[in-house]
Amino acid sequence: MKRADARPGRLEVYPDPLALGAAVAQWLTEQVERTPSPVRICLSGGGTPKALYRLLASDGFRADFPWGRVLWFWGDERFVPYDDPESNYGMARDAMLSKIPVPPDQIFPIPVDGTPAEAAERYEATLQRSYGAVTLEPSRPLFHVTLLGLGEDGHCASLLPGTPVLKERVRWAAPVTRGRPEARVTLTYPSLEASSAVAFLVTGSAKATILRQVRSGASDVPAARLNPWGELIWFADREAAGP
Ligand code: 6PG
């Protein structure tokens, strides 16, 4: 039974993770170039995007990427110190942002002090300050690009299966205090969907089944319920896309 709001989106398949990273880096550069400043980009955590972040900061891309026009946000964060190997901010900082002269006031990591609930509230306020309003206006996306990964259980960001945050349709960020060893702060469906373009980066044969299920329109896992305002693109390598 297909979901009424199911959208398969556009699938782009590349031979391997490096080729996929190069394609996404090129696509991202083009997205920023065609968007008036400031361009708000929501970064994904996890392992898959690391190759992309490294590429963007490499000699092949850094000179052409319009760094000065971009504001950097995160779709979720593990509630650990930024120097912890699990930190999504720490991963993007080490792979990319520390290698580029991006002004600190253009980088908005999710707070990891206080409690996860307080951090979520503070991050919601940060997003609203940058957006310039406390309610999302259909004519004006919160993000111009939102990068996401896909978990084998069908989660994206920290929208984990069976967690209360899946029902959150008002707050822009929320705490997730079960389902993983460490607490999380995640953006919610309203803020993640308020994007001109949502791009999933999916690599490896372990993701082939879940990718096929999510794009089939017959799945109810968290990533399948995401209904972006704008484009939905799946960047997959050959192993994840399957035969
Ligand atoms: C996180 C991510 C999470 C990730 C998926 C895929 O904080 O872990 O936001 O949603 O994107 O779990 O992770 P991999 O890219 O490591 O497979």
Side-chain angles (χ1 to χ4, degrees):
M1 174 69 176
K2 269 191 181 295
R3 294 169 49 82
D5 60 354
R7 286 171 55 196
R10 181 174 94 237
L11 175 66
E12 295 193 11
V13 183
Y14 295 89
D16 54 54
L18 209 51
L20 182 142
V24 179
Q26 184 57 41
W27 173 80
L28 195 59
T29 304
E30 290 161 3
Q31 293 298 309
V32 176
E33 284 170 344
R34 62 194 283 203
T35 304
S37 298
V39 185
R40 287 187 291 272
I41 295 180
C42 183
L43 293 176
S44 170
T48 303
K50 200 182 288 187
L52 164 65
Y53 301 161
R54 285 188 179 134
L55 262 176
L56 280 170
S58 71
D59 294 344
F61 286 91
R62 60 183 295 148
D64 298 333
F65 192 85
W67 301 97
R69 299 181 50 231
V70 177
L71 305 180
W72 301 95
F73 300 86
W74 276 259
D76 74 328
E77 185 56 276
R78 292 85 178 273
F79 209 70
V80 295
Y82 293 145
D83 289 330
D84 187 298
E86 288 299 303
S87 170
N88 286 337
Y89 164 71
M91 183 273 278
R93 176 198 60 198
D94 298 346
M96 175 172 70
L97 294 173
S98 60
K99 300 177 165 67
I100 305 292
V102 178
D105 64 359
Q106 289 179 218
I107 301 173
F108 301 89
I110 294 175
V112 289
D113 56 331
T115 68
E118 289 164 353
E121 279 181 25
R122 284 158 49 200
Y123 205 57
E124 179 179 76
T126 297
L127 292 170
Q128 291 173 345
R129 231 180 348 266
S130 180
Y131 182 65
V134 295
T135 51
L136 291 166
E137 300 153 10
S139 61
R140 199 161 65 87
L142 170 59
F143 297 118
H144 301 96
V145 176
T146 299
L147 301 179
L148 289 170
L150 178 63
E152 290 181 48
D153 61 359
H155 78 263
C156 58
S158 285
L159 298 177
L160 305 176
T163 55
V165 69
L166 300 182
K167 297 186 178 69
E168 181 57 62
R169 298 301 305 185
V170 176
R171 305 305 304 268
W172 296 16
V176 179
T177 53
R178 66 172 202 243
R180 287 293 181 278
E182 72 289 319
R184 304 284 185 96
V185 174
T186 187
L187 268 57
T188 57
Y189 281 119
S191 49
L192 289 172
E193 291 176 342
S195 184
S196 303
V198 169
F200 277 88
L201 280 58
V202 190
T203 62
S205 56
K207 302 287 179 75
T209 301
I210 191 64
L211 177 58
R212 189 174 57 252
Q213 286 172 347
V214 170
R215 296 197 69 244
S216 72
S219 168
D220 203 30
V221 297
R225 300 189 215 172
L226 191 82
N227 198 7
W229 291 10
E231 273 191 284
L232 172 59
I233 306 149
W234 298 87
F235 289 99
D237 70 354
R238 173 49 57 209
E239 282 196 7

